[in-house]
Structure formats: structure tokens, C-alpha cells
Amino acid sequence: MNFGIDSITLWSKEEKTHSLEFKRNKVNIITGESQTGKSTLLKILDYCFLASDHDIPHDVINDNVSWYGIKFYITDKEYFLARRSPNGNIVSTEYFFSSIGEIPSTPVATIDQEDLRRILETEFSIDDRIKMPFGGRVIKSGSKVSFRYFFLFNTISDDIILNSKAFFDKQEIDRYREALPRIFDLALGIDDLENIIARERKEQLQREIAKHERKKTTILDNQGSFASEIREIASKAAEFGLIPEVDKDVTAVSLRDSLANTNITPNYDASTKRRADVTSELFSINRQIRKYSQFTEEYKNYKSTIKNSQDSLKPLRILMDRSGEVIKSSIFDELISSLQVDLRTIDEAIKARRPVESQVTAAVKKLQDRKQSLQEELQVLPEVPRSFKELQDMWVFLGEARGKLSIYARIDDKQTNKHVPFDTSNLASELDSIQVKDVESERAATINLIDEVAAALMLETGTALENYATWYASFNYKEKKIQLRKPKSTLIENVGSSSNHMFLHLIHFLALHEVALNKNSKFIPSFLIIDQPSRPYWGDDEESDPENLLHSDRIKIRTAFEMLDNFIARVNKEYQKEFQIIVFEHVPTSMFGDMNNTHLLPVFRGGTALIPPSWKNNQSGK
């Protein structure tokens, strides 16, 4: 994603302006004294791009600035964005925005924050389809991805440059710490929007099919439970002579309608005979099932015995296999042939499954199905005629029966209308047609590419990494950082020197950006801001003299900046693309001589700073 900054402009309380101009496709260096506002530029960038809080210093900076503005470009478009300075700790919701990069003489609010967010999201190729793939403590699964998360790849702040653990900014903030692993694959092209949508649709279809199947099972279970109780009501009603004998598949509606007529006397002779017939058939079926079960058990014991016999004949197998080594008698061949026949017979006998076993299983299944059907029929057949002691008991029974049947009828009707049909074949067909890319293989390939690029960057450091100069750079995907691995070993070193940490951070970010460019990432902006990479050698001591740095330290600092300068050249040559780097420093400008892709901004020394002295004087005079 070709993205860069052309200028940063500040407006004073008296509407005066101060601007810093940056060059595209260069290493832009602002060097100078401490406490001149260099690091604040990074905070201003974050604030202007819709930050919900800020850490811009009030003293000197916010106290003297009314608006902060940034002119930036995305591909071939130029934009200008300004935001009113915060009021204490409260961020402003007033924004000026120009879609043609026009810088106003005095900014005024021209755009709503959400409208601005939508414009920026569009430029970052973010739409409603780009969702968080999984949730966390703060971030919810399926929530929209913020374009601000991708700026994690663009800054190495003063808090990070020497950090041995964290390699990305804002990891102390829950939502950014949770966002990084969730956007990493998308940012580096390991995953893509189409694949995410396909995977989400596939998961949605799987959930829908499972939901339908659960509903189907629940309804069938409920229907089975209702059917059993309906049959019990029918049997009791028949016993009391309220209805004739009914079919086992009687429904709640038909039984309720039958009970509306209480003058029918059942044919007890017929129902009693049928009950006797059903009971007799059930007895016969149970006897057949027992016989089949006995046969199955005996057949299993038979196969076990044969198996034991087979084990006992193993020495004979060895003898036959080594028959060539045995001194043979006249009957040896005849004996061996006989044994081979016997062994083949045993092998055949203990095969996994014989046809007879399948036939027995099928017969038992058929008997069990018939047994269940007879048991259900038996439920609706009255055992003996019965009568109510009082007429009131009959009306109580009828009221309870009709009430239950009405409820069952409504439930059955509601479930039928709501959930039938249960056919999920269309969903299954769509599920089978969706192709999802294997992210694991693409992730492994990308990690290898990061390692390859990092290895080339390691060579550029020369002896700057001292004892680790010959070690290998290895990207830790889980922790999202570059580590050093000992040659011909799996040992990952715990690097101790702060200067080594600085180089690891540079290698880490340059490698990620080169891979992003290689894979044409639509989400990672092609710029990098670094706050004082010379910190391990120069520190924050304002009284230190950079000219008195050790010769070896000057070489290491020079090496770091040559890496940045070479990176611009490599991106231009190998990828035919542009890249912008902005560096805040303390070292003298002589450190950057003869670098082809470096642009020096005015030095922040001798009163030159982010906030002109005249602004502070005017403010203090009020």
C-alpha cells in the first residue's frame, strides 16, 4: 500500500503556522537536541488519524497549538487532514479534511469523524466484510477491523527501539495487543479477503446444518415422547369404554376428536383378542432374539478358540518359512503340505466378518423393529374393561385428556410449520462447493520468506552484531518477532546488548515491510517512523557530545542508517515501488554523508524546534 507523509503543519493559537516538509521515497532525518519536540511528531500522527486518546505533551506543545495537520498521499491521491488540539485529556471531534491535499490558511471543522473514518477505511481496503476472525477479552469475534491496527507495522517508538520483549508499539493497550495476532495474516497476505469470506460462509453453513440436525433430533424426540403419552391416554380411554380400539399411530388431534363423543362402547372381545395375539407374538420375537444372541456368543467363542489354535501353530509357520534350512525326510514335503492346508483353513475361519454374521445382525435388527412396533400397539390396547365409580370422575378424566391432547396438537402443529422440511441437502451441496485456501501452508511459506529476507539484512549489519554476526535470523510467529538462532542448532539466544536489540528491531520491521511489498499487501502502509535508533550509543543525555562517540559506535550507527538507505534502493530496484522512512535522531548530520536516499530536514538546534520560540513568547505574554 503506497502511503507516505508530505508534510506536518501546526497552527498556533494566533493562527501562525509551522510546517515540516518530507520527501517521498527517502530516509527523512530530523536530528537535533533533546526536548525539541521530535518524538512528539509520532504522537501527532497518531492523534490526527482518529486516536480516541492522546499523549501529546501539554507543556509547550498543546498549550501553544490550536490545530495539528498532516498532508499525506495514498497511491496517486493527495489528502490533507487536520484535527483541533485536545482540551486537556479530552480529544477533539473537530476535523478538517481535503480530498485534494489543500492546506487551509486556518482550519475549520468540515467533516464528521465517522464520515472521515469511512473514507480512510476505503483507502485501506477495509469494508464491512473484514471482521476479526476470533475474539478476545476486549475484541469481540466478528467485530470490524480498524485501519489504525495496521499502523502497528509503521512505528518503532522510543519505548520499543531497545525493548527485548515487545517488537510492536501499543502492546500495553489491550485492544492493540489482541488485534495484532488477528490482523497479522491478513496484513502479510497469508490470508485474503476472499478466503476469509469463504471460510466464514463455510463455518456458517456448518453451524446451520448442525442447528437443523439438532432441531430435527429434538422434535423427533419430543414427538416420540408425546406419542407414547398419547397412546397411554388412548388405552385408558378404551378401558373405560369412551372410545373404540385405535391404531398405534393415533395422533393428538384424532384422539381429541374421538373423545368428543363419549357414547361409544368399545368392542372388548376384539381388543382383548388382539392384545393376546400381540403378547404372543412379542413372546415369540423375544425367544428368537435370545436364540440369535446365544448363537452370536457361541460363534464368537468359536472364533476365539480358533485364534488360540492359530497362535499355537506359529512355530509351524516358522518351520515352513525356513524349510530350506531343514534336513528333510521322505515324508517332509507331505507333512508340510498338510500343515499348510490346515493353516489356510484356520485363517479362513477367523476372518474379520463372515456372511453369516451379517445375516444374523440383519435378522436381529428386523426382529427388534417389529418388537418396538408391537410394543407401541400394545400401549393402545386396553387390558380389561373398567368403569368410573362416579360420573364426575369420567368428566375429570375427559377434561385432563382433552387438555393434554390440545397442547400436544398445538406443539406438533407449531413444530411442523416452523421446522419442516429438515432437508439440508442444499446447504450440504453449497458447503461442498466452497473451497478454502490452506492458510497453514501459506503461513509456513511466508515465515520462510521473512527468514530469507532477514538473513540478507543480517549480512548488511556486518560486525555490528559482534558475537551474533554469524547467527541466523528466525521469525517467531507466535510472539511476532525476529530472534537469533545459533548455527546448526535449535538454540534461540536471549540477546543481551541494547545495541543488538536495536538492530533486531530494524531487521524485524524491514523484513516485514519487504515481505509485504513482495506480496502486494493492500493493508500495510509503505512507510516507517523510527525514534532515535542511535539510543544505545547516544542515549538521552543532552550534554553528551556526539562528536566524541567511540569510533566503533559511530561505525554501528552508520551501519544502521546504511541499512535504511539500502532498503529504499532495494525496494526501488527489485520491486519497482516506493518507500518512505522518517527518523528522529540526536547524532550530527555528518553521520549521514554520501547516502543517496537520505533527506535531512532542518536541524533542531539553537532554538529551532517543533514549536517556534516566538509562539511560546506570545503564549507567556498573555
Side-chain angles (χ1 to χ4, degrees), residues 42-228:
L42 182 55
K43 306 177 193 297
I44 292 171
L45 175 71
D46 184 63
Y47 178 71
C48 285
F49 282 100
L50 283 63
S52 57
D53 50 26
H54 80 95
D55 54 359
I56 300 174
H58 291 290
D59 185 41
V60 179
I61 309 294
N62 266 338
D63 288 344
N64 292 284
V65 177
S66 60
W67 285 80
Y68 299 98
I70 296 175
K71 184 177 180 181
F72 61 99
Y73 58 90
I74 300 177
T75 313
D76 56 350
K77 301 176 184 177
E78 293 184 354
Y79 297 104
F80 184 80
L81 167 62
R83 187 177 188 181
R84 186 179 289 279
S85 63
N87 181 12
N89 291 323
I90 302 174
V91 298
S92 175
T93 57
E94 294 184 58
Y95 294 88
F96 171 89
F97 181 72
S98 170
S99 59
I100 58 174
E102 179 183 3
I103 302 177
S105 56
T106 303
V108 293
T110 61
I111 190 170
D112 178 77
Q113 179 168 291
E114 290 308 310
D115 291 337
L116 177 58
R117 185 186 304 277
R118 282 190 286 271
I119 292 173
L120 294 174
E121 286 175 346
T122 299
E123 293 297 341
F124 273 76
S125 302
I126 295 174
D127 57 34
D128 292 336
R129 298 175 296 173
I130 301 182
K131 306 284 184 64
M132 286 295 182
F134 52 96
R137 192 171 67 88
V138 176
I139 293 177
K140 293 182 179 179
S141 176
S143 59
K144 191 173 182 179
V145 172
S146 170
F147 74 91
R148 287 175 50 81
Y149 294 150
F150 295 104
F151 280 139
L152 290 172
F153 292 87
N154 300 108
T155 62
I156 310 178
S157 70
D158 54 352
D159 293 330
I160 292 295
I161 193 69
L162 305 182
N163 199 310
S164 62
K165 303 296 182 183
F167 272 54
F168 287 90
D169 276 313
K170 298 188 177 182
Q171 296 306 287
E172 75 283 0
I173 303 174
D174 289 341
R175 66 180 183 277
Y176 285 95
R177 185 174 60 255
E178 291 183 1
L180 180 59
R182 289 160 174 79
I183 67 166
F184 191 88
D185 285 359
L186 185 63
L188 267 293
I190 295 172
D191 210 348
D192 56 58
L193 179 57
E194 290 71 23
N195 197 55
I196 290 173
I197 294 171
R199 185 168 57 248
E200 287 180 349
R201 179 56 181 162
K202 194 161 190 173
E203 292 172 355
Q204 181 186 8
L205 288 170
Q206 289 171 336
R207 289 192 298 269
E208 288 183 16
I209 292 173
K211 182 179 178 181
H212 280 295
E213 292 301 324
R214 287 195 301 270
K215 286 182 179 179
K216 179 180 179 180
T217 301
T218 300
I219 291 171
L220 293 178
D221 289 344
N222 289 339
Q223 287 176 342
S225 176
F226 296 156
S228 177

Side-chain angles (χ1 to χ4, degrees), residues 371-433:
K371 178 180 176 180
Q372 182 178 351
S373 177
L374 291 171
Q375 287 173 335
E376 292 175 354
E377 184 178 356
L378 199 61
Q379 282 185 285
V380 299
L381 295 173
E383 295 184 17
V384 293
R386 296 173 60 186
S387 61
F388 293 105
K389 293 181 180 180
E390 297 181 9
L391 186 61
Q392 180 181 355
D393 296 335
M394 181 187 73
W395 293 116
V396 170
F397 169 76
L398 286 173
E400 292 178 350
R402 290 169 181 169
K404 288 182 179 179
L405 293 171
S406 295
I407 293 173
Y408 297 155
R410 286 197 299 271
I411 293 174
D412 187 58
D413 182 62
K414 181 178 179 181
Q415 290 179 339
T416 300
N417 292 335
K418 184 175 181 180
H419 302 295
V420 174
F422 292 108
D423 184 14
T424 57
S425 58
N426 290 338
L427 296 178
S429 297
E430 184 181 354
L431 180 65
D432 293 338
S433 67

Side-chain angles (χ1 to χ4, degrees), residues 144 229 263:
K144 191 173 182 179
E229 191 159 355
N263 297 321

Side-chain angles (χ1 to χ4, degrees), residues 232-279:
E232 289 179 7
I233 294 173
S235 176
K236 191 171 182 180
E239 287 177 6
F240 284 110
L242 299 176
I243 61 171
E245 177 186 338
V246 295
D247 188 83
K248 66 182 181 66
D249 296 323
V250 62
T251 65
V253 174
S254 64
L255 182 56
R256 182 191 60 190
D257 294 342
S258 296
L259 288 175
N261 183 356
T262 61
N263 297 321
I264 299 175
T265 301
N267 183 347
Y268 288 118
D269 292 337
S271 61
T272 303
K273 183 179 184 304
R274 178 57 188 157
R275 186 176 187 87
D277 292 341
V278 170
T279 303

